[in-house]
Amino acid sequence: MLVSIPSPTAPLSGKIQRERERETETETMEGVKEGDVNAMLRGQAEIWRCVLGFVDSMALKCAVELRIADIIHSHGGRPVTLAQIAQSIDGSPSPDLPYLYRIMRLLVRRNIFSVHRPSDDGGDPLYGLTNLSRWLIQDSELNLVPMVIMKNHPLQLAPWHYLGQCVREGGIPFQKAHGVELWEFAGDNPEFNKMFNDAMACTAKIITKAVLEAYGDGFRGVECMVDVGGGTGGVVAEIVRAYPHVQGINFDLPHVVATAPAHDGVEHVGGNMFDAIPKADAVFLKWILHDWGDEDCVKILRNCRKAIASSDQKLGKLIIVDLVLLGQNGDSLFEDVSVRFDLLMMAHQSGGKERTEAEWKELLQQGGFPRYNIIKIQALPSIIEAFPQ
């Protein structure tokens, strides 16, 4: 708001008053020049967007819970009216149309859904799918629905309220919120464990497809591969399906593999990667090392090095699928997401973090892998191919 400085003298003539106003109108109460007012206004708007960022997440969660994308998809993907969406919501005999309209208004603004308003003004607006909402179709093989549910669950949101406390005094936000670390909590809570595994499985499908497209030749010389922290075995099963000559081992904590389904060509092995890792000529680590601090990562990498069966005829290798931060001025499709993932690791894991290439290089050298290649894929993470010699 522009504020004129009041005159300390008696009322001035009209001409003098206008000149005085021109001299003072370029300052605000904070002394900000008129040329900066628009920038300050944009700054205010951006802070409001940050403050209310959770609204986007909650509206997205609502759309997933109501299966709005699936409802539109069930009509052949053709745009439908709000009433048609409401009529198809399960377990809702009388849905609140004004509420639904307001939620859809925001989701359309975020390009989650599209809206088409008939030009003759005689029909109802029609809502359709976009490239964003196609990732919310639960019946699709590749979707992010379980991740939306998991990341917006109250148990996962609670640790975020402890970030400031942890900055002041250290500690792990998840542990402060729930009394134990994430892995122990998952082991003691079957429902949370299933929700977590489902979220990991949905992203695993997306990432595995991208890995196979970008790194297919990298598996051709592999005879036995162990997927460390492989969850229920979905990733290694896909790799074995694509390359049947590979003998797959899915290695994870006992309570995780206990719920894993059988996969052709895959053996489930329970254990702890900090103790030992099953022998193989290739070790696969997808989104594992970002869960841990540097010291723990070095322990894991050294166990990977021990597990790799190298010889003069065959060179064993480590295949890491993880984020590679580009640095402060990095600019890529997923860079903003990657920086947010770094805070996600801080909130939920013990020492977990995302790393730059320089940090990965140092970590790999300490773990016994002096050579590496970084391979970009059509997904959030990258492949880091590392060799013990």
Side-chain angles (χ1 to χ4, degrees):
M1 177 179 179
L2 298 181
V3 178
S4 297
I5 299 175
S7 171
T9 61
L12 303 173
S13 68
K15 181 178 180 180
I16 296 175
Q17 180 69 31
R18 287 194 296 274
E19 289 176 353
R20 178 67 59 84
E21 287 174 353
R22 281 197 295 270
E23 291 173 356
T24 60
E25 68 182 357
T26 59
E27 295 186 3
T28 66
M29 285 187 295
E30 291 79 14
V32 178
K33 299 300 182 182
E34 185 177 26
D36 296 331
V37 169
N38 287 337
M40 289 294 291
L41 191 60
R42 288 193 297 270
Q44 181 190 158
E46 189 61 35
I47 290 296
W48 275 114
R49 277 192 286 270
C50 290
V51 168
L52 298 175
F54 71 94
V55 176
D56 292 354
S57 296
M58 292 300 105
L60 187 64
K61 178 186 178 184
C62 175
V64 165
E65 291 174 338
L66 298 178
R67 302 194 65 161
I68 294 174
D70 293 275
I71 290 171
I72 298 174
H73 183 66
S74 70
H75 285 78
R78 296 185 301 275
V80 297
T81 65
L82 201 66
Q84 287 175 301
I85 294 173
Q87 291 167 4
S88 301
I89 295 175
D90 287 339
S92 181
S94 56
D96 192 309
L97 277 178
Y99 272 16
L100 181 59
Y101 165 74
R102 290 158 68 183
I103 290 167
M104 291 298 289
R105 178 170 58 186
L106 175 63
L107 293 174
V108 166
R109 193 169 182 84
R110 294 293 176 267
N111 200 34
I112 305 293
F113 297 102
S114 65
V115 64
H116 171 69
R117 295 175 176 83
S119 57
D120 59 4
D121 295 327
D124 294 329
L126 299 173
Y127 296 89
L129 298 173
T130 68
N131 288 334
L132 281 70
S133 49
R134 293 185 191 282
W135 289 99
L136 305 179
I137 299 173
Q138 298 186 36
D139 296 332
S140 174
E141 181 182 0
L142 300 180
N143 71 81
L144 286 167
V145 168
M147 184 60 73
V148 172
I149 292 172
M150 195 261 287
K151 290 304 179 187
N152 290 291
H153 192 280
L155 291 173
Q156 287 281 62
L157 293 174
W160 291 97
H161 296 282
Y162 292 85
L163 289 185
Q165 183 178 341
C166 289
V167 169
R168 292 188 183 96
E169 60 192 44
I172 306 166
F174 192 95
Q175 188 174 36
K176 289 185 180 296
H178 300 299
V180 295
E181 294 189 26
L182 187 146
W183 306 121
E184 183 178 350
F185 188 87
D188 294 337
N189 296 270
E191 289 186 8
F192 178 86
N193 186 54
K194 182 181 184 306
M195 178 177 67
F196 186 89
N197 286 339
D198 288 346
M200 293 302 101
C202 85
T203 56
K205 289 180 181 179
I206 296 167
I207 294 170
T208 302
K209 182 177 183 293
V211 168
L212 289 172
E213 290 174 351
Y215 190 69
D217 290 341
F219 296 111
R220 295 191 187 282
V222 175
E223 294 179 2
C224 179
M225 187 186 79
V226 55
D227 184 1
V228 177
T232 56
V235 173
V236 67
E238 285 297 315
I239 294 171
V240 170
R241 188 175 296 114
Y243 298 94
H245 68 277
V246 177
Q247 175 191 349
I249 300 173
N250 178 51
F251 181 67
D252 212 312
L253 295 170
H255 77 268
V256 176
V257 298
T259 64
H263 299 290
D264 291 339
V266 176
E267 176 187 5
H268 295 296
V269 177
N272 191 317
M273 62 188 173
F274 289 103
D275 297 331
I277 292 171
K279 296 288 184 181
D281 53 287
V283 175
F284 190 83
L285 290 166
K286 182 190 71 66
W287 267 357
I288 300 299
L289 296 180
H290 76 163
D291 289 336
W292 304 95
D294 291 347
E295 186 176 340
D296 285 329
C297 283
V298 170
K299 292 178 183 177
I300 296 169
L301 288 170
R302 288 176 177 171
N303 282 341
C304 290
R305 177 66 186 89
K306 293 175 184 177
I308 291 175
S310 296
S311 66
D312 293 337
Q313 291 76 33
K314 182 182 289 292
L315 179 63
K317 61 182 173 181
L318 174 66
I319 306 166
I320 299 171
V321 180
D322 227 317
L323 300 185
V324 180
L325 294 177
L326 298 181
Q328 190 65 34
N329 298 318
D331 183 19
S332 73
L333 183 63
F334 288 109
E335 187 64 13
D336 190 61
V337 179
S338 298
V339 174
R340 295 183 191 201
F341 252 86
D342 181 54
L343 288 187
L344 180 67
M345 294 301 103
M346 185 171 73
H348 290 165
Q349 305 293 353
S350 175
K353 62 180 181 179
E354 307 301 347
R355 295 173 170 90
T356 63
E357 180 177 350
E359 290 171 324
W360 278 114
K361 179 179 180 180
E362 177 66 22
L363 208 63
L364 290 167
Q365 287 179 338
Q366 292 183 41
F369 295 89
R371 289 198 303 118
Y372 71 93
N373 301 312
I374 294 179
I375 303 167
K376 301 291 186 182
I377 63 175
Q378 297 296 308
L380 177 58
S382 298
I383 295 171
I384 306 172
E385 182 186 48
F387 303 92
Q389 52 184 282

